[in-house]
C-alpha cells in the first residue's frame, strides 16, 4: 500500500502538472539548460585537458629537456658572413652526468639537410641521437628497429624515419632496407616510428608539408656533417655553430607517483647552465611542471565552469520555486479540501514536493540527453576532443533531484501550513 | 445533561461545553461562537439555522475539527479535541467526519471515482476494498456510468452527489453539510434533501447548516443560532 501511495502521488503530480502543460514545460527549461550545460561543459573541458595532458605526458613527465635557443641577433654586428655560436655543449652533457639523480641522458643534434629518394625531396627534421632516445622519449617503433649501440659505435649510415615520411617517400613499397640520401650520403632505413599525432587516412598530397623526423646515429652525424650549419637567408649567408640542440635527461624517481627528483634536477640544470653559459642560449623544459600547471589550469577551468553551471541551475531552481509558489496559491482550495478530508501536513508537503521533483527531474533528464548530444556534435563539427565521464550524467541527475527538493521545500511548506478554514474559503 | 449523555443508552458522537470562538480584529473582538453547549447523538438529524453571521459555519468548522475553539471543550468520539495535535486532528477528520460543502469542493484533476476515494488515501490503514466501496457508493448516487468523468463534466447536482458519496466513504461518525443545497436549483435541492432523508433513515448522523425552512421540517432537531449563542432548539414531534 505504501508503494501504491507513492505511485499514486507521482501520478497525481503528473496529472496536476498536465493541467498547465505549457507552463510546466517552460518551467523545466531552466533546469534543462542548466543540466545540459553542466554535462556539455564538463565533456568539452575534460576533452581539452585530456588532449593537453596527453601532449605533455608524451614529452615524458620523468624527463627534463634542455634545448638550445638562438639568442636575439646582435644588430650591430656585420651582416654579411659570420658565425653564430650558441647552444648546448658536450661539456654540459658531461656535467649533467655527474648529477646524482641522472638516469639515461640523450643528446640530440639537428641537421639542416635535405633528404631525397629519386626525385622526391623533403626537408624534415634530421637529428643525430643515441640509441637511448627511443626509450627515454617513449616513442614507438612502427616497423623494423631503432638505432643500435653498434650503429652508434661504428657511426653507420643507417636511419629511422617517421611514419609520415616513410609513407610519402615509399608509398607503395616496404620502406625497410630502402636507401635515402641525406645531404651527400646514402642511408639505409632500418625502422619507422609511429607518428606523434594521429594521422588522417588520406596520404599526403604533393607539395604538402610532411611532418616527421629522420634519426641517424649521433656519431655518424658528427662524422659527416660537423657542427657547422649554413643557412642562406635573404641573400646573406649565415653560419651557425651548435654542438647539441637538445639534451633529454631522464631522472631517476624511486616513486613515480610522487616525483621529487625532477624538480631538483630541473633546478640543478638551470643553475649549471646559468653558471657556464655567457648568454641565454638555452631553455629548460620540464614536462612535469607543465603537467602540474595544466592540471592547475584545469582545476580553475572546472571551478569557473562549475560556477557558471551552478548559476544557471540556481536560476532554473528559482524559476521552479516561483511557479510552484503560484501553483500552491492557485490550488489553495484543493489544499483546504484535502486537509478537511484527513490529509496531514506531511501529505501536502509530499504532494507538492513530488510535483516539484517531477518538474526538475523531467528537465534534468531532457537536459542530460541534450548535454550528451552537444559534445557529440562538437566533436563531429568542431573537431575538438570531448570526454563524457560516466559520472557526469549521474551527477546531473542527482543535482536535478536535489534542485526539486531544495526549491520545492518552501512552496510545499507554505502549502502545508495553510489554515484549512481559510484555504477552503479561498476563491 | 452531561451525566445523561455519558451514562445514557444513546451514544453521544459530539459534545460541546461552553465553546467560544473569538476573532480578534485589531481592538475589536468578534464572538463568532459565544458559549455553546450541546450534545449530538448518534442517528440524529440536525438543522442548524440562523441569520447570516450568526456563527453556523464557525460551529460546523469546529465540529469538523478544521478549527479549534478559543475556549470551552469539545469531545468527538470520546476524544478531547483541545488535546489533539495537528496530525491527530487530521486523523479524526479522515476517520470520523464526512464533509459536504456548498460549493461541492471536488478536486478538478481527479475523476469521479478518485474523488470519492480521497479520504481513504490519507488513512493509515485504508480498507482493501476501497475501490469496490467507492463504486458501490457511486452506484447508489446513480453515477455508475460516469466513474471516469472529471468534476467539471458533471452537473451541480451530480457533483454534490459525488461529494456526498465522498463524505460516506470513511463511514463517518457524522456528516457535516454547510448549505449543501445552496448552489442548487429547487428540483435538485429536493433530490439532495431526499438523499439526506434516506441516509438519516439508515441511521446516519447528519448536522446540516441551512437557510431552507424545508430542511427544518425534515430534521429531527432544529438549532437556531443568534450572535454566536443558541437561541432555541426545537425537537420535531416532541417537546424539548
Ligand atoms: N476568519 C475570520 N476572521 C474574523 N471574523 C470572522 C472570521 N470567520 C468568521 N468571522 C465572523 O464570525 C461570525 C460568524 O461567521 P460565520 O461564517 O460562522 O457565519 P454564518 O452563520 O455561517 O453566516 P452565513 O449564513 O452568511 O454563512 C461573523 O460575524 C464573521 O464575520
Ligand atoms: Mg456560513
Amino acid at each position: 500500500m505504501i508503494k501504491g501511495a507513492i505511485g499514486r502521488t507521482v501520478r497525481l503530480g503528473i496529472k496536476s502538472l498536465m493541467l498547465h502543460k505549457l507552463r510546466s514545460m517552460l518551467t523545466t527549461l531552466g533546469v534543462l539548460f542548466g543540466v545540459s550545460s553542466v554535462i556539455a561543459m564538463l565533456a568539452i573541458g575534460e576533452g581539452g585537458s585530456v588532449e593537453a595532458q596527453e601532449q605533455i605526458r608524451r614529452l615524458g613527465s620523468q624527463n627534463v629537456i634542455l634545448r638550445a635557443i638562438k639568442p636575439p641577433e646582435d644588430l650591430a654586428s656585420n651582416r654579411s658572413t659570420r658565425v653564430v655560436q650558441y647552444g648546448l655543449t658536450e661539456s654540459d652533457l658531461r656535467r649533467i652526468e655527474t648529477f646524482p639523480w641522472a638516469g639515461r641522458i640523450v643528446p640530440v643534434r639537428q641537421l639542416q639537410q635535405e633528404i631525397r629518394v629519386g626525385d622526391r625531396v623533403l626537408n624534415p627534421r634530421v637529428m643525430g641521437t643515441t640509441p637511448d632516445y627511443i626509450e627515454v622519449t617513449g616513442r614507438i617503433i612502427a616497423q623494423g628497429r631503432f638505432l643500435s649501440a653498434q650503429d652508434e659505435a661504428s657511426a653507420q649510415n643507417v636511419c629511422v624515419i617517421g611514419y609520415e615520411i616513410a609513407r610519402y617517400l615509399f608509398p607503395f613499397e616496404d620502406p625497410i632496407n630502402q636507401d635515402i640520401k641525406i645531404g651527400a650520403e646514402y642511408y639505409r632505413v632500418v625502422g619507422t616510428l609511429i607518428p606523434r599525432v594521429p594521422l588522417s587516412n588520406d596520404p599526403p598530397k604533393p607539395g604538402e608539408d610532411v611532418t616527421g623526423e629522420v634519426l641517424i646515429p649521433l656519431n655518424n652525424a658528427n662524422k659527416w656533417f660537423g657542427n657547422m650549419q649554413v643557412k642562406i637567408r635573404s641573400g646573406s649567408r649565415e653560419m651557425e655553430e651548435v654542438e647539441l640542440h637538445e639534451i633529454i635527461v631522464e631522472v631517476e624517481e624511486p616513486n613515480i607517483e610522487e616525483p621529487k627528483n625532477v624538480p631538483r634536477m630541473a633546478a640543478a640544470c638551470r643553475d649549471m647552465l646559468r653558471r657556464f653559459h655567457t648568454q641565454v642560449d638555452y631553455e629548460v623544459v620540464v614536462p612535469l611542471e607543465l603537467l602540474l600547471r595544466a592540471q592547475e589550469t584545469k582545476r580553475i577551468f572546472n571551478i569557473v565552469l562549475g560556477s557558471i553551471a551552478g548559476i544557471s541551475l540556481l536560476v532554473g531552481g528559482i524559476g521552479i520555486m516561483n511557479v510552484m509558489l503560484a501553483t500552491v496559491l492557485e490550488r489553495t482550495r484543493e489544499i483546504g479540501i484535502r486537509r478537511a478530508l484527513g490529509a496531514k501536513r506531511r501529505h501536502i508537503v509530499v504532494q507538492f514536493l513530488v510535483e516539484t521533483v517531477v518538474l526538475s527531474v523531467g528537465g534534468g533528464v531532457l537536459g542530460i540527453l541534450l548535454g550528451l548530444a552537444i559534445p557529440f556534435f562538437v566533436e563531429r563539427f568542431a573537431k575538438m576532443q570531448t570526454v563524457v565521464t560516466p559520472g557526469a550524467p549521474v551527477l546531473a541527475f542527482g543535482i536535478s533531484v536535489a534542485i526539486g527538493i531544495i526549491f520545492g521545500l518552501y512552496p510545499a511548506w507554505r502549502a502545508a501550513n495553510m489554515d484549512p478554514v481559510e484555504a477552503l474559503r479561498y476563491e | 445533561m452531561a451525566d445523561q449523555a455519558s451514562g445514557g443508552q444513546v451514544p453521544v458522537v459530539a459534545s460541546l461545553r461552553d465553546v467560544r470562538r473569538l476573532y480578534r480584529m485589531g481592538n475589536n473582538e468578534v464572538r463568532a461562537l459565544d458559549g455553546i453547549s450541546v450534545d449530538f447523538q448518534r442517528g440524529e438529524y440536525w438543522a442548524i439555522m440562523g441569520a447570516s453571521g450568526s456563527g453556523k459555519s464557525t460551529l460546523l468548522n469546529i465540529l469538523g475539527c478544521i478549527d479549534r475553539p478559543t475556549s470551552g471543550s469539545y469531545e468527538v468520539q470520546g476524544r478531547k479535541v483541545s488535546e489533539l495535535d495537528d496530525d491527530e486532528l487530521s486523523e479524526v477528520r479522515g476517520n470520523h467526519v464526512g464533509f459536504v460543502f456548498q460549493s461541492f469542493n471536488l478536486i478538478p484533476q481527479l475523476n469521479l471515482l478518485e474523488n470519492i476515494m480521497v479520504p481513504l488515501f490519507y488513512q493509515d490503514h485504508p480498507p482493501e476494498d476501497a475501490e469496490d466501496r467507492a463504486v458501490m457508493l457511486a452506484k447508489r448516487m446513480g453515477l455508475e456510468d460516469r466513474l471516469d468523468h472529471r468534476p467539471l463534466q458533471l452537473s451541480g447536482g451530480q457533483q454534490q452527489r459525488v461529494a456526498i458519496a465522498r463524505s460516506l466513504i470513511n463511514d463517518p461518525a457524522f456528516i457535516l453539510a454547510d448549505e449543501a443545497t445552496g448552489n442548487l436549483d429547487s428540483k435538485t435541492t429536493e433530490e439532495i434533501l431526499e438523499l439526506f432523508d434516506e441516509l438519516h433513515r439508515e441511521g446516519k448522523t447528519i448536522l446540516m447548516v441551512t437557510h431552507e425552512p424545508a430542511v427544518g421540517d425534515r430534521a429531527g432537531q432544529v438549532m437556531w443560532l443568534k450572535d454566536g449563542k443558541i437561541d432555541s432548539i426545537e425537537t420535531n414531534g416532541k417537546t424539548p
Side-chain angles (χ1 to χ4, degrees):
Chain A
M1 207 64 205
I2 292 295
K3 221 168 86 197
I6 290 172
R8 191 178 55 230
T9 312
V10 172
R11 271 199 306 281
L12 172 74
I14 294 171
K15 252 187 214 167
S16 304
L17 292 170
M18 291 310 260
L19 286 181
H20 303 278
K21 288 194 191 68
L22 183 64
R23 185 170 78 180
S24 301
M25 260 158 56
L26 292 177
T27 310
T28 60
L29 287 184
V31 174
L32 193 158
F33 289 127
V35 163
S36 59
S37 57
V38 170
I39 293 182
M41 289 196 296
L42 280 180
I44 293 166
E46 191 67 28
S49 85
V50 163
E51 219 161 349
Q53 295 193 25
E54 192 46 45
Q55 275 166 6
I56 294 164
R57 202 166 292 127
R58 239 182 263 133
L59 292 170
S61 55
Q62 219 182 321
N63 296 346
V64 172
I65 301 165
L66 283 55
R67 281 202 187 117
I69 46 173
K70 195 173 168 193
E73 254 174 85
D74 191 359
L75 291 170
S77 72
N78 180 3
R79 274 190 80 245
S80 60
T81 307
R82 64 195 196 92
V83 178
V84 188
Q85 225 174 348
Y86 70 92
L88 304 165
T89 60
E90 295 283 348
S91 325
D92 291 333
L93 187 77
R94 298 282 97 76
R95 284 190 283 265
I96 294 167
E97 276 171 351
T98 66
F99 293 165
W101 319 282
R104 292 172 287 190
I105 301 175
V106 181
V108 177
R109 233 165 73 68
Q110 219 160 308
L111 308 174
Q112 292 289 328
Q113 295 295 339
E114 273 186 351
I115 65 170
R116 260 170 212 283
V117 172
D119 55 355
R120 290 170 186 257
V121 184
L122 276 179
N123 246 316
R125 293 201 299 152
V126 179
M127 301 189 289
T129 189
T130 56
D132 283 339
Y133 178 90
I134 188 79
E135 277 181 26
V136 170
T137 58
R139 299 291 307 270
I140 298 163
I141 292 286
Q143 292 165 278
R145 61 171 178 86
F146 195 66
L147 307 171
S148 69
Q150 204 176 340
D151 295 333
E152 178 64 19
S154 53
Q156 286 289 329
N157 276 20
V158 291
C159 67
V160 172
I161 60 178
Y163 185 77
E164 305 93 318
I165 295 173
R167 197 159 64 154
Y168 178 72
L169 294 177
F170 309 105
F172 307 112
E173 301 140 277
D174 182 0
I176 303 296
N177 288 331
Q178 302 277 358
D179 284 334
I180 64 174
K181 197 173 174 195
I182 303 177
E185 293 293 316
Y186 284 94
Y187 285 78
R188 174 139 305 167
V189 177
V190 295
T192 61
L193 289 174
I194 296 270
R196 281 177 197 270
V197 281
L199 285 177
S200 71
N201 284 327
D202 323 313
K205 294 170 196 71
E208 193 181 337
D209 220 19
V210 177
T211 56
E213 57 278 275
V214 173
L215 300 169
I216 60 174
L218 182 64
N219 280 339
N220 180 283
N222 291 337
K223 175 171 145 198
W224 295 114
F225 302 104
N227 290 348
M228 205 67 84
Q229 317 250 4
V230 182
K231 273 187 184 169
I232 300 174
R233 276 203 326 198
S234 58
S236 77
R237 258 153 45 93
E238 195 182 80
M239 316 265 266
E240 278 186 11
E241 194 179 340
V242 179
E243 274 184 45
L244 292 174
H245 287 85
E246 206 169 287
I247 300 175
I248 305 167
V249 185
E250 188 190 47
V251 181
E252 302 211 321
E253 282 290 358
N255 181 5
I256 202 74
E257 297 299 317
E258 236 178 293
K260 288 204 180 70
N261 293 340
V262 168
R264 288 185 190 138
M265 177 57 110
C269 288
R270 285 191 179 112
D271 201 49
M272 180 274 289
L273 290 168
R274 206 175 304 124
R275 194 127 31 102
F276 289 94
H277 285 236
T278 52
Q279 50 184 356
V280 186
D281 53 356
Y282 58 84
E283 66 174 345
V284 178
V285 180
V286 187
L288 182 72
E289 284 174 4
L290 297 178
L291 195 66
L292 294 177
R293 215 172 304 152
Q295 280 164 351
E296 176 64 12
T297 311
K298 182 194 168 216
R299 207 175 62 84
I300 294 170
F301 189 67
N302 279 351
I303 290 173
V304 172
L305 288 188
S307 316
I308 294 172
I311 289 169
S312 57
L313 285 170
L314 185 72
V315 171
I318 291 172
I320 288 192
M321 179 153 97
N322 210 354
V323 165
M324 285 314 291
L325 283 173
T327 303
V328 165
L329 195 65
E330 224 174 59
R331 284 159 63 191
T332 298
R333 187 180 270 263
E334 179 192 329
I335 295 163
I337 298 168
R338 289 181 181 275
R339 293 282 276 141
L341 299 182
K344 293 174 184 160
R345 286 210 172 105
R346 66 180 154 84
H347 290 124
I348 303 293
V349 167
V350 167
Q351 182 187 339
F352 282 94
L353 216 49
V354 161
E355 231 168 273
T356 324
V357 171
V358 165
L359 268 184
S360 67
V361 165
V365 168
L366 293 177
I368 288 172
L369 295 181
L370 183 63
L372 293 178
I374 292 172
F376 176 77
F377 286 110
V378 165
E379 195 150 323
R380 185 94 190 255
F381 296 112
K383 300 260 188 280
M384 269 164 75
Q385 194 187 346
T386 60
V387 175
V388 179
T389 51
V394 176
L395 177 77
F397 187 82
I399 287 175
S400 47
V401 173
I403 283 179
I405 291 174
I406 291 168
F407 291 94
L409 268 178
Y410 178 62
W413 178 85
R414 282 265 293 252
N417 279 285
M418 283 178 175
D419 175 42
V421 177
E422 298 287 329
L424 277 168
R425 208 182 288 154
Y426 187 85
E427 284 306 318
Chain B
M1 196 169 163
D3 293 344
Q4 183 206 335
S6 52
Q9 292 86 347
V10 197
V12 174
V13 289
S15 161
L16 299 165
R17 284 295 166 273
D18 198 25
V19 163
R20 284 164 213 276
R21 179 66 169 97
L22 310 181
Y23 290 106
R24 196 169 288 284
M25 311 286 283
N27 285 332
N28 280 4
E29 201 182 59
V30 180
R31 296 168 170 237
L33 292 180
D34 192 8
I36 302 282
S37 298
V38 64
D39 289 329
F40 299 102
Q41 286 160 353
R42 179 172 296 160
E44 288 180 339
Y45 182 0
W46 286 71
I48 299 166
M49 304 185 78
S52 184
S54 57
K56 305 181 296 293
S57 295
T58 308
L59 176 61
L60 222 61
N61 290 341
I62 286 177
L63 286 168
C65 295
I66 51 176
D67 197 6
R68 289 175 198 254
T70 314
S71 69
S73 84
Y74 168 41
E75 275 184 38
V76 56
Q77 294 285 84
R79 301 180 78 178
K80 277 201 163 56
V81 166
S82 57
E83 288 169 4
L84 303 181
D85 66 16
D86 194 82
D87 275 5
E88 289 168 324
L89 284 181
S90 296
E91 260 163 43
V92 171
R93 295 195 291 266
N95 293 319
H96 305 302
V97 183
F99 278 101
V100 179
F101 302 92
Q102 178 174 2
S103 45
F104 321 135
N105 279 346
L106 301 176
I107 296 173
Q109 62 269 39
L110 301 182
N111 68 24
L112 188 157
L113 200 62
E114 290 165 329
N115 262 292
I116 293 177
M117 291 195 293
V118 168
L120 301 183
F121 291 170
Y122 298 121
Q123 291 186 353
D124 287 339
H125 306 287
E128 297 282 320
D129 59 342
E131 190 154 337
D132 298 340
R133 271 163 70 172
V135 172
M136 286 236 305
L137 283 168
K139 259 190 197 142
R140 158 137 203 222
M141 299 297 153
L143 295 164
E144 64 269 30
D145 50 349
R146 303 252 177 173
L147 295 181
D148 55 352
H149 281 52
R150 298 282 172 93
L152 290 178
Q153 298 168 311
L154 303 173
S155 74
Q158 287 169 329
Q159 288 189 51
Q160 197 60 303
R161 284 165 182 277
V162 176
I164 292 169
R166 181 178 68 184
S167 76
L168 293 169
I169 190 90
N170 56 353
D171 197 15
F174 48 79
I175 297 166
L176 301 175
D178 194 350
E179 297 184 45
T181 57
N183 280 4
L184 302 173
D185 61 34
S186 55
K187 182 171 166 291
T188 320
T189 297
E190 191 60 30
E191 285 170 17
I192 296 292
L193 290 180
E194 244 349 288
L195 196 52
F196 275 110
D197 277 355
E198 218 178 285
L199 294 173
H200 178 221
R201 279 197 294 278
E202 286 170 20
K204 300 267 185 283
T205 312
I206 301 164
L207 312 180
M208 185 185 291
V209 167
T210 182
H211 289 286
E212 305 264 346
V215 179
D217 302 337
R218 294 166 181 266
Q221 280 78 13
V222 182
M223 176 197 292
W224 286 90
L225 286 180
K226 195 179 171 193
D227 300 331
K229 293 189 169 73
I230 297 179
D231 197 39
S232 68
I233 295 177
E234 299 160 10
T235 304
N236 285 337
K238 291 175 260 169
T239 44

